[in-house]
Amino acid sequence: MNKNVFLKRISVSFLLLLIFNSVNTFAVLPNCIVDNNNNNYYPSFIPKYGNKPYGAGKEALKLKKKLGDFDFYHSRAYKAVVNNFGKSVRLNELLVIINSIRQHIIIKHQEIPSPNRNEKRNVPLLIKYIETNYDLIVPYFSFAKLCDKDGKPIPLDLPS
């Protein structure tokens, strides 16, 4: 049963409840369980989107396939990112830095591919992109600094 059919049945059930004000009305509806003790009803099925565990969807499987056996925590690109920007650097911050470096490289008439859609949305894939283009990107990391809204440089590791 799809989501729209389920929502229509709930709407009809709610209307019947308002008209008859009786819990027993729900007993005739298919795919519903009536709890007479609490005057509630529940769907008797689990929707399809709830059956798969986290990370087992099509998108997640594509990302896992693209990553392959790449271990981004132990890559030289990840170590370069952590050494220059700390462990708390965010995806969007890293994307801004990489795009700035890319523009500089393009101005110098060198070729560097643009990160694809998945690389822009996933940290491990972005680290893999940096690893692939390591010799072009990483030398420029020393020129980039992360700053707060007042323009003060953010320390790499905050005291704990």
Side-chain angles (χ1 to χ4, degrees), residues 5 11 17 27 29 35-36 77 87 96 100 109 117 131 136:
V5 172
S11 305
L17 175 67
L29 293 174
D35 180 5
N36 288 324
K87 287 186 176 182
V96 169
S100 299
H109 303 291
R117 175 182 177 266
E131 184 75 32
L136 291 171

Side-chain angles (χ1 to χ4, degrees), residues 26-95:
F26 298 118
V28 297
L29 293 174
N31 297 323
C32 288
I33 298 172
V34 177
D35 180 5
N36 288 324
N37 297 331
N38 297 328
N39 292 334
N40 291 324
Y41 73 101
Y42 307 97
S44 63
F45 66 94
I46 299 172
K48 283 186 179 179
Y49 54 85
N51 288 341
K52 292 184 180 177
Y54 181 78
K58 287 181 183 177
E59 224 22 64
L61 293 176
K62 272 188 200 176
L63 296 177
K64 286 179 187 176
K65 183 178 178 182
K66 186 146 186 168
L67 270 175
D69 61 350
F70 179 71
D71 183 11
F72 81 99
Y73 283 115
H74 297 100
S75 68
R76 18 178 227 163
Y78 180 75
K79 290 174 185 172
V81 168
V82 170
N83 287 338
N84 287 286
F85 309 113
K87 287 186 176 182
S88 62
V89 66
R90 295 182 180 173
L91 177 67
N92 60 350
E93 295 167 341
L94 203 51
L95 276 172

